[in-house]
Amino acid sequence: MNQNRISPSKFDRKSIEKNRRNQLKALYCKLCSLLPRQSSKEIGNMSDELGEAASYIKKLQERLEAMKRKRDFLKVRKSENLKSNESDGGSEGPVVQVDGNGSTLKVVLMSGIQEQCMCMCMLKETLRILMEEGADVVSAAFSVLDRTVIHTVYSQIGGSGLENEGARISERLRKFVADEY
């Protein structure tokens, strides 16, 4: 009769294991709730979801690194503008930064606030170049940060050779800025 009963130590182990599984399940659900959902995607198994979480975290880390590089670039640009304005009252001219990520192309134009007219002409020409190259402009915005005007343009690139198109557009924009200013 004693053999059919569960010993206290076996009961404790089963209880501990059950609690551990429940905690893992709760943490898994919490992790899944933090992931962006896509309506077309069905709920997969646990290993698929964990793989998706890992890739999402990696993308976030890459975005964070890109933002840090941009912040550092802007800090350098700001200090160069301050030194330039202190020494001769002028600025070094516009800067163009083109980042391609898949089919998305991001163009950042920066120049001193003294060159507002030039900034608008640069933006107009950038939009013209993007449209000539077949890119669809998704959004455009500008901001002013410590006497620096920053225009940001996001566009979608179509076609089969995305890297080639992005590189061609990037080179054309850089050449335009170098030739004009």
Side-chain angles (χ1 to χ4, degrees), residues 30-165:
K30 187 175 181 181
L31 176 66
C32 288
S33 71
L34 296 174
L35 295 176
R37 285 282 160 221
Q38 297 177 2
S39 60
S40 64
K41 187 175 180 184
E42 295 179 14
I43 296 175
N45 62 22
M46 185 182 287
S47 63
D48 291 341
E49 292 287 329
L50 291 174
E52 182 182 337
S55 66
Y56 180 67
I57 291 169
K58 188 166 184 90
K59 285 179 189 175
L60 288 176
Q61 287 174 330
E62 290 169 356
R63 280 183 47 203
L64 179 64
E65 288 301 316
M67 291 172 133
K68 285 180 181 178
R69 285 192 303 271
K70 185 175 179 180
R71 179 196 64 200
D72 293 342
F73 175 77
L74 291 174
K75 282 182 180 179
V76 168
R77 176 71 177 160
K78 177 183 171 185
S79 68
E80 287 174 357
N81 279 345
L82 290 177
K83 287 177 188 174
S84 176
N85 288 337
E86 289 172 358
S87 62
D88 63 357
S91 68
E92 297 176 16
V95 174
V96 64
Q97 178 183 5
V98 183
D99 295 321
N101 185 5
S103 64
T104 303
L105 192 67
K106 175 181 161 188
V107 181
V108 179
L109 304 167
M110 291 186 282
S111 65
I113 199 161
Q114 303 88 348
E115 303 128 351
Q116 286 182 353
C117 181
M118 181 176 58
C119 289
M120 294 308 293
C121 291
M122 265 179 41
L123 178 62
K124 180 180 172 185
E125 186 65 17
T126 298
L127 293 173
R128 187 185 65 75
I129 289 171
L130 288 170
M131 288 183 198
E132 278 181 4
E133 293 291 337
D136 294 325
V137 176
V138 177
S139 69
F142 83 97
S143 59
V144 178
L145 176 68
D146 292 328
R147 301 166 84 188
T148 301
V149 179
I150 303 168
H151 293 276
T152 308
V153 179
Y154 289 94
S155 59
Q156 291 288 114
I157 305 170
S160 58
L162 294 177
E163 291 105 18
N164 293 339
E165 287 185 38

